[in-house]
Amino acid sequence: MEILKVLGDPQWWRALMGSEFNQGFMAALVLILALMLVLLILRGILFLIFRTRRCSTIVVKRQDGNTVVARDVVASVVNQELIPYPALSAEKIQLTRKGKEYQLTIYCRYLLSDQAGLPSFCDEFKPRLKEALQKGFGINTLTDIRLWILAPDEDEQESLSRESGSKDAYTGL
């Protein structure tokens, strides 16, 4: 309570602001606090505009009402589309929403023994998946499909090195 009495005393403020150095110091302090407040408000506005949220469903707008497609259904379509590619296996599927647009992230393991190559797989797989989701459920708000390629499990890596008969000098992190 003593601090409140001191801060409320006009004599204390006059003594504090009596020198030019103290006036400049207080002006700089107020300027820094105001700048921090403006930056926090700007950060909040940008967060509200550009935020993405995880979601568990995709809402398909139709004339007769909305259709809600669950993430598990999308995961089953992804797994169905991955059947022709034995070098890849889906580990996790994540849906995010940004406004009215959805993004699909597929975390998958890639066996390094595949000869076709990852770029050619992406060129084939992503359009096929978009088309399957469009045909099957009418999902046309999926704007981006991201593939996160994870390293093979240690068991898979050991079996690959045994099959090839070579040992790598660098086994990983």
Side-chain angles (χ1 to χ4, degrees):
M1 289 299 182
E2 284 294 319
I3 293 176
L4 293 177
K5 288 182 183 178
V6 170
L7 289 177
D9 184 19
Q11 188 66 24
W12 182 79
W13 285 102
R14 276 190 221 110
L16 180 67
M17 300 301 280
S19 72
E20 290 181 13
F21 175 79
N22 286 350
Q23 289 174 358
F25 183 79
M26 291 301 276
L29 187 63
V30 168
L31 180 68
I32 289 172
L33 290 175
L35 184 62
M36 287 176 58
L37 181 66
V38 167
L39 289 176
L40 281 174
I41 291 171
L42 184 64
R43 179 178 178 247
I45 290 170
L46 290 176
F47 176 76
L48 289 174
I49 292 173
F50 295 112
R51 71 179 165 188
T52 58
R53 297 186 212 171
R54 285 188 184 179
C55 58
S56 60
T57 60
I58 294 179
V59 178
V60 180
K61 305 262 185 207
R62 311 212 15 110
Q63 291 176 350
D64 57 346
N66 295 341
T67 304
V68 180
V69 180
R71 179 181 57 221
D72 296 337
V73 174
V74 175
S76 67
V77 172
V78 168
N79 287 327
Q80 196 71 19
E81 292 296 320
L82 280 175
I83 288 174
Y85 306 100
L88 282 160
S89 62
E91 295 286 321
K92 180 177 142 183
I93 293 172
Q94 180 181 357
L95 280 174
T96 53
R97 189 181 103 205
K98 185 180 190 180
K100 294 181 181 181
E101 298 175 346
Y102 293 89
Q103 297 170 344
L104 176 65
T105 304
I106 305 168
Y107 297 89
C108 49
R109 299 226 180 260
Y110 179 65
L111 297 177
L112 301 175
S113 65
D114 183 32
Q115 299 300 318
L118 197 57
S120 64
F121 162 75
C122 290
D123 291 342
E124 294 173 16
F125 177 71
K126 288 180 181 182
R128 280 184 55 190
L129 180 61
K130 273 189 175 182
E131 182 181 335
L133 290 171
Q134 172 66 30
K135 279 184 182 178
F137 303 102
I139 298 173
N140 56 4
T141 55
L142 191 65
T143 58
D144 189 22
I145 298 174
R146 296 178 184 162
L147 289 172
W148 282 66
I149 307 300
L150 305 172
D153 290 335
E154 290 178 16
D155 299 333
E156 293 172 352
Q157 197 142 20
E158 287 176 16
S159 66
L160 286 175
S161 63
R162 271 190 247 123
E163 288 174 8
S164 65
S166 64
K167 289 206 171 209
D168 293 335
Y170 181 69
T171 59
L173 298 174

